[in-house]
């Protein structure tokens, strides 16, 4: 890997006039900021559509894109919406935080209006029947055909959720829940226009995302994306491929994913995701994983694989448990999976999220793949002694962060950790106050031998816990923070560029 640096900022955290960050002018301006600041990487979170809890790690599809990220300005420019239509809606009053309830109510309504006033609906209005729009229709139909492998099931799944008042697929009627052929055929006929609407949403998403990614790449900024290890139970993936998961004869999970009790949680973490039937994946040559990885590299230039240790061994909990205390460890697919994916990955960059308690077997799997692991400075001082997360112990083949989306901001961490830990950190960095310590953490990460250094945008701004992205195992206040339009100043740009140059990361 080339020595380089970048910034972590979710798409949702960008400023925009429509309540949530999206592929808008502000996204292009952020790319301009990164390029001028000597940054080679923009790390984002998963781009999939979110449901209950608004978590990008509990998506309705591992292949689809989030409709919230579609830039309404571009839809207006396409002629599918009028400005008056958009301006009549309230997208939230606080530019620093996302009001997901309001966004949910408004975004789909506007996108449906756009679909009905487009050349792509089954019954287009007169002006859209003009032959000049044949090229647009052809591009749309080509996208549907090229995405058939996942889009057919996803669009039907979304249309069915609408008819079942957003109930999870495990609560649908037996015939369609279990995907009986006659039910699939019947519902497809009934929901043809709804299915096409969800194809339209994905077409708009992918067209806009490709344009933004191409712009970033043209300006020498590459995208690091995130591949969650698991899919959500309520997802088109689990519904359309039940044979790939440990589900019972009724299509319901027999075991679910989570983490065992540890120092951070006395009862562990009960994620609830379905567990893969790895024997079935193995028998199919890991074809679903190959498709997923190929698709991820359409989205991103580099992929961070979430919860990497779960491929060596994973923790499964009997379905119906209310905590993660009664789970067991089960051996995962190990190196066989990554050998099968090697041709798909090629020479493209993969990062392994190897955080948490790691066994010798996990260390061996990481070494066998050759992927760089992660170093997080906030984890370096809990033991009040020498740690693998302290910069003097790094090797080149790693990616260093001050913190991740699951951590507090570094200033928030210093404010909320124990006095002993914060004092030890300040002693390590040779600082006298918390603000200087945040700056010292950034510099320590930048000057380390780690090939890649990624700093959350909040740390460059020295923001406190009000800017935290996610607190694991909690609901209600996550994934909401947004950066101010005025934050990416010329002064900040020059500061990032200076750091990148001093530490040879340009």
């Amino acid at each position: 890997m080339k020595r380089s640096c970048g910034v972590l900022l979710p798409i949702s955290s960008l400023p925009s006039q429509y309540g949530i960050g999206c592929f808008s002018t502000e996204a292009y301006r952020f790319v301009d900021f990164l390029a001028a600041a000597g940054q080679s990487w923009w790390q984002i979170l998963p781009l999939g559509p979110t449901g209950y809890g608004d978590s990008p790690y509990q998506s309705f599809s591992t292949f689809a894109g989030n409709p919230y990220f579609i830039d309404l300005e571009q839809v207006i420019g396409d002629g599918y919406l009028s400005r008056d239509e958009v301006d009549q809606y309230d997208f939230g009053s606080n530019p620093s935080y996302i009001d997901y309830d309001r966004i949910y109510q408004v975004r789909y309504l506007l996108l449906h209006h756009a679909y009905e006033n487009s050349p792509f609906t089954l019954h287009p209005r007169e002006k859209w029947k003009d032959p000049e729009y044949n090229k647009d229709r052809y591009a749309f139909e080509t996208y549907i055909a090229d995405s058939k492998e996942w889009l057919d099931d996803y669009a039907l799944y979304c249309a069915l959720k609408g008819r079942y008042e957003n109930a999870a697929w495990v609560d649908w009627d037996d015939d369609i829940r279990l995907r009986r052929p006659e039910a699939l055929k019947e519902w497809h006929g009934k929901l043809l226009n709804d299915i096409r609407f969800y194809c339209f949403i994905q077409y708009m998403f992918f067209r806009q995302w490709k344009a933004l990614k191409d712009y970033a790449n043209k300006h020498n900024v590459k995208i690091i994306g995130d591949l969650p290890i698991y899919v959500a139970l309520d997802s088109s993936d689990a519904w359309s491929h039940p044979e790939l998961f440990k589900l019972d004869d009724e299509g319901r999970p027999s075991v679910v994913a989570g983490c065992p009790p540890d120092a951070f949680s006395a009862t562990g973490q009960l994620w609830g995701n379905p567990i893969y039937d790895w024997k079935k994946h193995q028998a199919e040559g890991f074809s679903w994983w190959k498709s997923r990885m190929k698709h991820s590299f359409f989205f991103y230039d580099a992929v961070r694989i979430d919860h990497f240790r779960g491929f060596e061994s994973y923790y499964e909990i009997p379905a119906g448990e209310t905590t993660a205390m009664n789970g067991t460890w089960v051996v995962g697919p190990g190196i066989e999976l990554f050998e099968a994916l090697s041709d798909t990955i090629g020479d493209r960059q993969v990062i392994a999220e190897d955080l948490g308690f790691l066994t010798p077997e996990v260390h061996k799997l990481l070494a066998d793949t050759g992927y760089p692991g992660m170093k997080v400075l906030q984890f370096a001082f809990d033991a009040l002694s020498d740690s693998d997360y302290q910069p003097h112990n790094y090797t080149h083949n790693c990616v260093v962060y001050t913190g991740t989306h699951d951590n507090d901001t570094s200033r928030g961490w210093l404010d909320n950790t124990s006095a002993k830990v914060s004092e030890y950190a300040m002693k390590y960095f040779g600082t006298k106050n918390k603000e200087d310590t945040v700056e010292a953490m950034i510099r320590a990460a930048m000057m380390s031998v780690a090939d890649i250094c990624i700093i959350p945008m909040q740390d460059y701004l020295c923001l406190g816990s009000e800017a935290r992205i996610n607190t694991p195992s909690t609901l209600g206040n996550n994934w909401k923070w947004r950066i101010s339009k005025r934050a990416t100043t010329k002064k900040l740009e020059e500061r990032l560029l200076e750091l990148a140059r001093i530490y040879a990361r340009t």
Side-chain angles (χ1 to χ4, degrees), residues 57 62-63 227-232 235 237-238 241-247 253-257 273-282 286 288-289 292 305-307 310-311 314-316 330-333 337:
Y57 295 89
T62 192
F63 292 89
L227 184 71
I229 181 174
Y230 293 119
V231 304
S235 67
D237 310 291
H241 293 286
E243 73 281 1
L244 299 180
F245 302 90
K246 292 184 178 181
L247 306 180
S254 54
V255 288
V256 295
N273 305 75
I275 297 287
Y276 296 111
D277 184 338
W278 285 114
K279 289 183 179 179
K280 183 68 175 179
H281 284 271
Q282 182 185 40
F286 300 103
W288 183 84
W289 276 95
R292 191 182 185 198
I305 300 179
D306 177 58
H307 196 58
F311 295 102
Y314 55 90
Y315 193 71
E316 66 176 29
V330 181
V331 175
L337 169 64

Side-chain angles (χ1 to χ4, degrees), residues 436-450:
D436 288 346
T437 304
V438 174
E439 175 68 11
M441 290 173 71
I442 292 170
R443 286 183 176 272
M446 290 288 283
M447 74 173 67
S448 75
V449 298

Side-chain angles (χ1 to χ4, degrees), residues 18 40 45 55 60 83 103 119 134 166 180 187 200 232 268-269 275 310 317 320 339 379 402 424 426 451 478:
Y18 298 123
S40 301
L45 299 186
S55 170
F60 291 134
R83 189 163 299 283
I103 297 296
N134 286 348
N166 289 320
R180 291 170 182 156
W187 276 110
F200 165 78
Q269 296 180 38
I275 297 287
I317 305 152
E339 288 174 343
F379 296 160
T402 47
Y424 179 46
M426 285 190 278
D451 285 329
N478 297 320

